[in-house]
Amino acid sequence: MPPLIEIRNMKKVYGEEEAAVYALAGVDVQVERGEFVAIMGPSGSGKSTLMNILGCLDRPSSGEYILDGRDVSQLSKNELAEVRNQKLGFIFQSFNLLPRLSALANVMLPMLYNPVEDISDAEAEARATASLEAVGLGARLHHRPNQLSGGQQQRVAIARALVNRPPLILADEPTGNLDSKASVEIMDILHKLHREGVTIVMVTHEPDIAAHAGRTICVRDGKIVQSGKCAEAR
């Protein structure tokens, strides 16, 4: 099968002519289905720009982004939103949970905006419950975020990312706000998902977290400097 992600000669430019700044300067990346890939790079390297484009939160200035067989590089904002809902699950450093909603309600949210599946309330609740049980939070369904630890909140975020069954999970510094014990627990969950066939792309600045991935892509000055295990882009 073709790669899940294929990026060809991607550039992202801010400004024009002499004031032009290349956040991405001709990037080529492939991620196979079922891979676990880490992206590393120093501040200002372009890794966040790359992650935003991978997540269909931004568009490149030029080049192609083929996601699951479709070129999504120049889609409209509405089309990109549809792709995000159908193809992507997001895990953020800051969890991004709605504070007034329970864990269950937070996990149900993506299904409310899914234009493909016509899911009843009962089906949505059952699927969200199963997703939370899969990350060990079956006993915390009705707890709000402020009643959960940081590690538990990140588990809710993972359950939310999985609930629409997307082919790709994007994790942006998933352990950045967690202590070492919670970080280990979150990485154990990501490993379990990977073993089940989920494709994961993770941005991290922590070499010990990146070491969990099967491959590390290093970004510097808007270019891929090494694909493999690397230390110089810490």
Side-chain angles (χ1 to χ4, degrees), residues 169-184:
I169 297 293
L170 297 175
D172 190 359
E173 300 281 5
T175 62
N177 281 341
L178 304 178
D179 60 29
S180 56
K181 181 177 181 294
S183 295
V184 169

Side-chain angles (χ1 to χ4, degrees), residues 64-91:
E64 295 178 297
Y65 174 20
I66 312 298
L67 174 62
D68 201 16
R70 181 184 183 186
D71 187 350
V72 300
S73 54
Q74 298 302 325
L75 297 182
S76 69
K77 289 184 178 180
N78 287 340
E79 289 171 326
L80 287 175
E82 189 173 305
V83 171
R84 287 196 301 271
N85 193 265
Q86 295 175 28
K87 300 291 185 181
L88 305 172
F90 293 91
I91 304 169

Side-chain angles (χ1 to χ4, degrees), residues 163-195:
V163 76
N164 271 341
R165 301 163 185 165
L168 176 62
I169 297 293
L170 297 175
D172 190 359
E173 300 281 5
T175 62
N177 281 341
L178 304 178
D179 60 29
S180 56
K181 181 177 181 294
S183 295
V184 169
E185 292 172 350
I186 294 304
M187 294 313 300
D188 284 346
I189 292 173
L190 293 182
H191 276 295
K192 178 177 181 291
L193 296 174
H194 179 232
R195 288 193 299 269

Side-chain angles (χ1 to χ4, degrees), residues 28-31 35-41 202 204 206-207 209-219 223-234:
D28 295 288
V29 173
Q30 285 191 354
V31 176
E35 267 201 285
F36 188 169
V37 175
I39 298 176
M40 294 189 71
M202 173 181 68
T204 182
E206 302 175 75
I209 296 299
H212 286 267
R215 178 164 62 101
T216 302
I217 295 172
C218 301
V219 184
K223 298 180 180 180
I224 304 299
V225 295
Q226 183 179 347
S227 185
K229 297 298 181 182
C230 60
E232 64 270 18
R234 292 179 185 177

